[in-house]
Amino acid sequence: MARTAGEFDSWYADRIESPMADELVRRVLGLPPDLQSTSLLGGAGLDEVVAA
């Protein structure tokens, strides 16, 4: 099922109102507390990207 631009925008708008979502993403992906991420790349993967 294709998503519309409005649905995409709404998903991000809803995340802004949910700090718990950011905390869960950080915990699951093993990210540092000061890093905000909207991808599913874990801490080790982010380290590889930075090194590249």
Side-chain angles (χ1 to χ4, degrees):
M1 173 165 94
R3 299 285 182 204
T4 67
E7 289 171 319
F8 183 79
D9 291 344
S10 179
W11 185 86
Y12 276 95
D14 290 344
R15 279 194 53 117
I16 290 171
E17 296 177 15
S18 177
M20 180 56 77
D22 289 332
E23 175 61 25
L24 290 171
V25 169
R26 276 193 293 275
R27 273 196 252 166
V28 169
L29 297 179
L31 303 176
D34 59 337
L35 179 68
Q36 292 183 341
S37 176
T38 58
S39 78
L40 296 177
L41 194 57
L46 288 172
D47 289 341
E48 288 181 35
V49 170
V50 169

